[in-house]
Amino acid sequence: MLSKAQVISALALASFYVMPAVHDATALELEELPWELDAVFDAHCFDCHDDTISEGGLNLLDLAFDPTDPVNLAQWTKIHDRVAKGEMPPEQKERPSASEIEKLTGLTAQALQSAWTTRYAECGRVNGRRLNPVEYETTLRDLLAAPWLELEAIIPPDPEKGDFDNVASAQDISYVQMAQYLQAAEIAIDSAMLLRPAPVATKVRTGLSEEARYFGKGEFEGLGTGRNRIVDDWIVFLRQPNSAQAPFRIRNTSQAIPGYYQFRVRCRAVLYDHGELKRPERGHVLSIRTASKRLLGKFDVPEDFDGGIVEFTAWQNEGDLLELYAETLDDRNFKRDEPLSPYRGEGIAVQWFDIEGPFPTADCDPETTWPTESYRRLFGDLPTALWDPSSGLREPEPLHVPDLSGNKRGLRDPFQLPPEKTMVVSDDPAADAERLLRQFMRRAYRRDPDESEVERCLGFALEAIKDRACFQDVMRIAYQAVLVSPDFLVFREPVGPLDDFALASRLSYLLWRSAPDQALLETAAAGLNDPASLESAYQQLFADPKIERFFRDFTRQWLDLDKVDDTAPDRYLFPEYFCDTHLIESGVAETEATFATLVKENLPVKNLVAADFAMVNERLAQLYEIEGVRGMGLRKVSLPADSPRGGFLTQSSIMKVTANGLTTSPVIRGTWVVERILGIHPPPPPPGISAVEPDTQGATTIREILSAHSQSKGCIECHKTIDPPGFALESFDVMGGWRTNYRSFGEGEQVALRVADRPVSYKEGLPVDASGVTKDGVEFRDIHEFRDYLITQERQLARNLVERFVTFATGAVPTFADRKTIERILDENADRGYPVESLLRGVVFSELFLNK
């Protein structure tokens, strides 16, 4: 049996000759930029950008034009753009004449276009692009029919370029990464095997563990731990647990067999009124998660006075410890000497849990037989049996499955039946290995594998057969070879027009973030490279529920939502937000749902910043002061004309991502707006310039601090661009709540409010000023007038979105040579207000998408 090290070494060596070749850039030929521009540079540029000063890190005196170097071409593109937009030379410098500007921009544009066009012909737009961690995990979930797999954290994250982590030129591959890919492949295959005799589903009715310890049976005035009590046979939650050491844990749920389980919860929302349970005054949400924080189900609590039964299905790993979260209750410590009898407040009552399973499929149909679909993907219809030492086969290898239960026990074999072991039975191991491997490779490689590729991976299996390995061990080594092969990890895209299978993969990874399914592979085999076939495939993928992956992944990367948990609102400045995970999760879901609505309904691009609707649930509606919304489910609600909501700018998730939990900064928020929404990228601050820190003591406003900071020579130009959008958003606090005054640790009046039926307070500081003047001289008084200004920039909003689509869809940031195509897509959609889905479709049917 080959060791892991041998497999890694063999496949790492194979990668050197299988990886797509990156052409030697020095082979490109192009005339250098004409040096007759020296006179323009000498008169207007060298005094700030020579080998002595080099402002902004730019030394034009020594900057040659190198058509073989993408970094050099990017520098010249920036020079072209800043001159063309009138940003350089700066206002205080003498401006070149119109003819000089035309000559400079015309010559650089011609040289850049020629350089990139030549490079595309030699190398293509995209280097050898590799699956990123999200794509790897999603692909294996679909390939193995194992949606429970959690692999993303095993693979090293890829660096971002153009705000996305799937850009080929930023990717690399190393021995360390190959080792981690092998580990992920082992875990995926072993998790999907489920080598166990068919289990019988059972139903368990259970409750919470250690009720007496956590809920204090007996007198309501009893001290107990926390404000949760048992009333009749209902456990009443009046708060969240105050630490990870005292969770609300559901007992008797450490299942011995992984599989799909059906959960039923009898519960109701209540108003705890001096020991009596009454109807609630607001909606409540419960969730069940594992000890490792994996969400199994999240649901509205019924408000029926007699309670209701909530049902959901989830995959449960062996040994999962389950915990209950009262999402809409406060989790502060209550004082132990507070009497409970006079207490009146909202709560959630739970009576029992039913947990039934395991089932082989998510529909929990008792008629569905084992084995699971994941087993069939690996072994077809081959049977299993207990390992018999007299068979002459070696004892089965232990399975490598991470402990996802939260017990932190490390790798284990959850399917072993000591002392007996289960094995897959094959009467003709060599023939079965080749048959199964060919089927697997076609799905994994997203095309028909070459014979040499089959032979290379099959060789591992045949070697294991000679070594008398059990059949599952024979196949797992072959499958692992497939899953760490460059033919799986790297997109096979030849220079020039994509072939049918490469195009199918590019379309599938754009819209599904995963490999083509069998139907799309069959379409590719019949021919996908014509407009009618591509249109049909696009429509089919778009109509599939897996399109939600595109909405989620694109939105999270584009709008920086992955940073939403990096900070937390301060419990003293913002007590109403303290540990409100439900609000955070709702805010992210709102942003994703908003983007999905813009695409599905093909709405004009102005809706990115000024929509007449919002996607909210009860918690968000409460934050946004919208009446009449109940429950955790998001729904589309119409907004009045004077609402500051609508579009991405003022959403809770965006306001949280651009704040630090204590304060908000117009610099951070303004930079986010101009970069993420408008696609304008200001240069980084000069060396030695310290960050602007708002005053949390309340003596000085951030506007006053910025007024002094931004007047310095190295700062003024950029702050003219980034400060105005930030000022417009100052009316929103760290979670997106509307404010007229800042909050303060020092000066200011005390303001009282109630949070989850508990009195809290904060200090109100100086008033907010949300007015400003844009760089092009447009004055605004507040967010409403600033959004009106942004609507006039709809072509730039659309241009930025198209560039984002191009980057995400192809794995390459747009270059100067791509601008004509991007402008053509914009022109085709201008008269309809640049509808969002039409822009996406324009990218898919463009030469940028259809070619390497």
Side-chain angles (χ1 to χ4, degrees):
M1 192 76 169
L2 291 177
S3 68
K4 294 179 190 177
Q6 288 173 306
V7 174
I8 293 172
S9 299
L11 291 169
L13 288 173
S15 69
F16 285 104
Y17 62 81
V18 178
M19 284 280 286
V22 179
H23 290 240
D24 183 1
T26 60
L28 301 175
E29 296 180 0
L30 185 72
E31 293 293 327
E32 289 189 351
L33 189 69
W35 286 111
E36 58 191 298
L37 296 177
D38 271 355
V40 178
F41 287 152
D42 187 46
H44 303 284
C45 306
F46 286 153
D47 56 342
C48 293
H49 299 288
D50 60 7
D51 52 3
T52 302
I53 301 178
S54 299
E55 284 194 9
L58 178 62
N59 177 7
L60 287 174
L61 196 62
D62 293 337
L63 181 64
F65 185 84
D66 184 359
T68 68
D69 181 8
V71 175
N72 178 271
L73 296 179
Q75 285 182 300
W76 280 103
T77 300
K78 185 179 293 186
I79 293 169
H80 169 277
D81 291 346
R82 300 206 70 183
V83 173
K85 293 176 182 178
E87 297 175 353
M88 284 290 161
E91 293 179 358
Q92 61 269 31
K93 298 289 184 178
E94 180 184 353
R95 295 284 298 162
S97 66
S99 61
E100 288 177 317
I101 292 177
E102 182 179 1
K103 186 175 186 179
L104 173 60
T105 56
L107 287 171
T108 52
Q110 180 182 357
L112 288 166
Q113 184 72 31
S114 179
W116 280 115
T117 301
T118 303
R119 186 174 180 81
Y120 285 1
E122 291 286 331
C123 306
R125 285 188 70 251
V126 190
N127 293 332
R129 185 165 76 86
R130 174 175 46 77
L131 297 178
N132 67 15
V134 170
E135 293 166 333
Y136 185 88
E137 178 182 272
T138 308
T139 300
L140 286 184
R141 286 181 173 184
D142 291 347
L143 176 66
L144 299 174
W148 58 84
L149 290 177
E150 297 181 12
L151 305 171
E152 182 183 345
I154 299 174
I155 309 300
D158 287 315
E160 291 185 358
K161 186 172 183 179
D163 297 325
F164 294 101
D165 66 0
N166 66 337
V167 175
S169 60
Q171 292 179 332
D172 195 4
I173 194 160
S174 65
Y175 179 88
V176 173
Q177 286 177 306
M178 292 297 294
Q180 289 173 296
Y181 276 122
L182 180 62
Q183 181 187 6
E186 285 181 335
I187 290 171
I189 294 167
D190 289 5
S191 297
M193 284 184 182
L194 295 176
L195 298 178
R196 183 162 193 148
V200 177
T202 59
K203 181 188 292 187
V204 176
R205 174 159 293 188
T206 186
L208 295 176
S209 62
E210 300 179 294
E211 287 96 335
R213 172 185 171 190
Y214 291 121
F215 300 101
K217 291 181 179 178
E219 295 295 327
F220 289 169
E221 293 83 359
L223 292 179
T225 301
R227 286 183 174 268
N228 303 295
R229 290 295 180 270
I230 296 178
V231 180
D232 298 327
D233 57 350
W234 294 88
I235 298 174
V236 182
F237 297 88
L238 302 175
R239 66 162 181 85
Q240 277 278 40
N242 54 49
S243 73
Q245 285 71 44
F248 299 150
R249 184 160 287 162
I250 303 170
R251 57 179 154 81
N252 298 332
T253 58
S254 294
Q255 305 299 334
I257 306 172
Y260 289 100
Y261 286 79
Q262 189 169 53
F263 292 77
R264 298 181 184 88
V265 186
R266 186 158 192 246
C267 54
R268 60 170 167 152
V270 299
L271 175 66
Y272 184 93
D273 190 359
H274 301 79
E276 183 181 355
L277 303 185
K278 298 181 179 180
R279 293 188 182 278
E281 297 174 352
R282 57 188 174 92
H284 289 283
V285 176
L286 277 175
S287 69
I288 294 178
R289 302 171 190 258
T290 68
S292 60
K293 308 309 177 189
R294 180 168 60 92
L295 178 66
L296 300 185
K298 186 174 180 179
F299 49 88
D300 287 315
V301 180
E303 298 182 13
D304 298 339
F305 190 73
D306 294 329
I309 297 176
V310 177
E311 298 184 6
F312 65 91
T313 300
W315 177 271
Q316 196 170 349
N317 295 304
E318 183 268 335
D320 270 342
L321 298 176
L322 304 188
E323 297 175 357
L324 187 72
Y325 286 82
E327 300 275 352
T328 46
L329 299 182
D330 188 28
D331 70 346
R332 291 171 181 77
N333 290 315
F334 288 83
K335 296 179 181 179
R336 295 179 62 87
D337 58 353
E338 285 183 321
L340 189 60
S341 288
Y343 181 77
R344 183 181 189 276
E346 296 282 322
I348 299 172
V350 177
Q351 192 174 57
W352 49 255
F353 305 85
D354 275 353
I355 305 176
E356 184 176 5
F359 298 96
T361 57
D363 59 9
C364 295
D365 184 353
E367 301 300 320
T368 303
T369 59
W370 295 74
T372 62
E373 176 62 21
S374 64
Y375 174 92
R376 294 190 180 94
R377 292 283 179 93
L378 295 172
F379 304 113
D381 295 327
L382 294 180
T384 60
L386 295 178
W387 173 68
D388 182 358
S390 65
S391 66
L393 298 177
R394 287 192 296 102
E395 183 179 5
E397 295 283 330
L399 300 180
H400 296 82
V401 182
D403 182 5
L404 302 176
S405 66
N407 292 327
K408 308 300 182 186
R409 293 197 303 259
L411 296 179
R412 71 195 193 288
D413 178 359
F415 317 116
Q416 180 179 320
L417 295 175
E420 301 167 320
K421 291 180 179 284
T422 305
M423 66 178 187
V424 179
V425 178
S426 170
D427 295 331
D428 190 346
D432 286 336
E434 181 174 355
R435 172 178 57 85
L436 293 170
L437 187 60
R438 285 183 181 276
Q439 295 172 358
F440 186 82
M441 292 181 72
R442 185 172 190 269
R443 297 193 305 269
Y445 288 179
R446 308 172 288 274
R447 55 177 171 80
D448 293 321
D450 300 334
E451 283 303 310
S452 61
E453 296 166 343
V454 175
E455 291 174 3
R456 186 170 68 250
C457 293
L458 183 59
F460 293 111
L462 297 178
E463 196 69 31
I465 291 172
K466 291 179 183 179
D467 199 30
R468 304 299 296 167
C470 286
F471 189 72
Q472 69 263 29
D473 295 334
V474 167
M475 295 310 299
R476 72 203 292 214
I477 192 69
Y479 289 147
Q480 289 168 17
V482 172
L483 297 183
V484 294
S485 165
D487 301 287
F488 171 72
L489 295 175
V490 179
F491 292 93
R492 183 168 169 172
E493 297 176 342
V495 175
L498 299 179
D499 62 36
D500 297 300
F501 286 103
L503 181 56
S505 287
R506 184 171 280 193
L507 183 64
S508 181
Y509 277 96
L510 166 62
L511 299 180
W512 286 356
R513 313 301 295 130
S514 183
D517 62 4
Q518 186 63 30
L520 186 55
L521 288 175
E522 291 174 359
T523 299
L528 185 60
N529 246 317
D530 68 85
S533 297
L534 182 58
E535 173 67 28
S536 176
Y538 175 85
Q539 293 287 357
Q540 291 175 15
L541 268 66
F542 197 88
D544 192 280
K546 286 185 283 192
I547 190 68
E548 298 297 328
R549 298 172 180 172
F550 163 64
F551 298 143
R552 178 175 60 253
D553 198 22
F554 179 82
T555 307
R556 286 188 177 230
Q557 293 198 59
W558 168 35
L559 301 179
D560 225 13
L561 298 184
D562 287 334
K563 297 179 181 177
V564 74
D565 291 320
D566 287 0
T567 61
D570 183 83
R571 66 182 302 172
Y572 299 106
L573 280 181
F574 301 97
E576 67 269 44
Y577 304 139
F578 181 63
C579 289
D580 194 342
T581 57
H582 178 50
L583 175 58
I584 296 171
E585 291 176 354
S586 298
V588 172
E590 175 199 13
T591 302
E592 294 171 0
T594 300
F595 178 68
T597 301
L598 297 181
V599 177
K600 289 178 179 179
E601 298 184 12
N602 203 19
L603 298 178
V605 76
K606 69 177 183 179
N607 286 276
L608 269 63
V609 296
D612 61 0
F613 69 91
M615 305 295 296
V616 297
N617 59 13
E618 181 175 358
R619 182 64 186 93
L620 289 168
Q622 178 188 18
L623 179 69
Y624 298 163
E625 300 179 348
I626 298 173
E627 300 291 336
V629 178
R630 196 75 173 237
M632 62 168 278
L634 295 173
R635 77 288 317 260
K636 186 178 181 181
V637 299
S638 298
L639 297 173
D642 61 349
S643 173
R645 309 297 172 175
F648 294 125
L649 291 187
T650 62
Q651 290 181 349
S652 178
S653 65
I654 304 303
M655 296 296 92
K656 186 178 189 305
V657 164
T658 56
N660 65 10
L662 282 172
T663 60
T664 62
S665 167
V667 176
I668 296 174
R669 283 183 169 173
T671 300
W672 186 93
V673 172
V674 298
E675 289 185 345
R676 304 282 171 160
I677 301 299
L678 289 170
I680 300 169
H681 299 278
I689 300 296
S690 59
V692 179
E693 296 293 340
D695 176 19
T696 58
Q697 295 302 311
T700 310
T701 67
I702 184 64
R703 182 182 290 266
E704 293 170 327
I705 297 172
L706 275 175
S707 177
H709 168 87
S710 61
Q711 295 306 310
S712 62
K713 180 182 177 182
C715 302
I716 187 169
E717 287 301 319
C718 287
H719 279 279
K720 286 182 180 180
T721 300
I722 62 180
D723 287 356
F727 288 143
L729 296 175
E730 280 295 273
S731 294
F732 303 91
D733 65 26
V734 298
M735 285 297 294
W738 181 266
R739 67 183 177 188
T740 56
N741 291 75
Y742 296 102
R743 298 189 184 186
S744 166
F745 282 125
E747 301 179 12
E749 296 184 3
Q750 205 77 19
V751 176
L753 69 159
R754 294 189 68 83
V755 176
D757 306 299
R758 180 173 175 79
V760 294
S761 64
Y762 63 88
K763 285 187 177 181
E764 186 176 79
L766 297 171
V768 169
D769 180 1
S771 65
V773 181
T774 67
K775 187 174 183 179
D776 46 357
V778 177
E779 297 183 6
F780 59 87
R781 291 176 295 177
D782 51 26
I783 183 62
H784 300 282
E785 293 186 358
F786 181 72
R787 290 195 309 184
D788 292 340
Y789 163 76
L790 286 181
I791 292 174
T792 67
Q793 309 296 307
E794 63 175 353
R795 189 173 180 94
Q796 183 57 34
L797 295 173
R799 180 180 293 109
N800 174 58
L801 190 57
V802 171
E803 290 174 352
R804 304 282 179 170
F805 285 155
V806 169
T807 303
F808 192 73
T810 67
V813 177
T815 68
F816 195 92
D818 301 331
R819 293 182 175 183
K820 289 184 178 179
T821 301
I822 291 172
E823 294 304 315
R824 176 180 56 77
I825 294 172
L826 296 175
D827 290 341
E828 292 171 351
N829 292 280
D831 60 346
R832 295 180 293 136
Y834 309 100
V836 174
E837 191 272 331
S838 295
L839 297 178
L840 175 63
R841 180 188 296 266
V843 170
V844 170
F845 286 83
S846 72
E847 58 267 32
L848 304 182
F849 189 84
L850 300 175
N851 291 268
K852 172 179 167 63

